[in-house]
């Protein structure tokens, strides 16, 4: 996910870092970054009463399909920052 959104993440980290008063903000420390999003989905999947294969397919689909959308969302947030 970070590779697909690399350019947007650099700008996003800079903008969010500025708001948080940090000169350098790593992807993992960004409250709007990919790690936060993946963690939220993983946590939600943990509560899902489904077979492990179903959960794996959901994570696989998340990793493939919405990446373009996520990059567009990051770009949108960057325009507002």
């Amino acid at each position: 996910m970070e590779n697909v959104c690399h350019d947007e993440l650099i700008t996003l980290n800079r903008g969010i870092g500025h708001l948080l008063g940090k000169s350098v903000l790593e992807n993992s420390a960004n409250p709007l970054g990919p790690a936060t999003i993946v963690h939220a989905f993983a946590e939600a999947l943990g509560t899902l009463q489904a077979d492990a294969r179903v959960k794996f397919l959901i994570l696989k689909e998340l990793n493939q399909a919405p990446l373009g959308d996520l990059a567009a969302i990051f770009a949108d947030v960057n325009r507002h920052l």
Side-chain angles (χ1 to χ4, degrees), residues 1-2 9 12-13 26-43 62 70 74:
M1 188 181 302
E2 290 181 12
L9 279 173
L12 183 68
N13 288 344
E26 298 294 326
N27 287 341
S28 60
N30 187 336
L32 298 178
T36 304
I37 294 168
V38 170
H39 178 73
F41 273 99
E43 195 172 294
L62 169 67
L70 192 56
F74 287 157

Side-chain angles (χ1 to χ4, degrees), residues 25-66:
L25 185 68
E26 298 294 326
N27 287 341
S28 60
N30 187 336
L32 298 178
T36 304
I37 294 168
V38 170
H39 178 73
F41 273 99
E43 195 172 294
L45 279 175
T47 65
L48 185 65
Q49 299 296 321
D51 187 63
R53 291 177 295 161
V54 172
K55 292 179 182 183
F56 174 76
L57 287 173
I58 291 171
L59 282 176
K60 183 178 175 183
E61 200 52 39
L62 169 67
N63 194 35
Q64 308 233 342

Side-chain angles (χ1 to χ4, degrees), residues 1-15 27 30 34 67 70-79 81:
M1 188 181 302
E2 290 181 12
N3 291 336
V4 173
C5 303
H6 178 73
D7 294 338
E8 291 83 6
L9 279 173
I10 290 172
T11 306
L12 183 68
N13 288 344
R14 192 177 319 123
N27 287 341
N30 187 336
L67 289 180
L70 192 56
I73 291 169
F74 287 157
D76 232 8
V77 171
N78 288 333
R79 281 191 289 280
L81 290 175

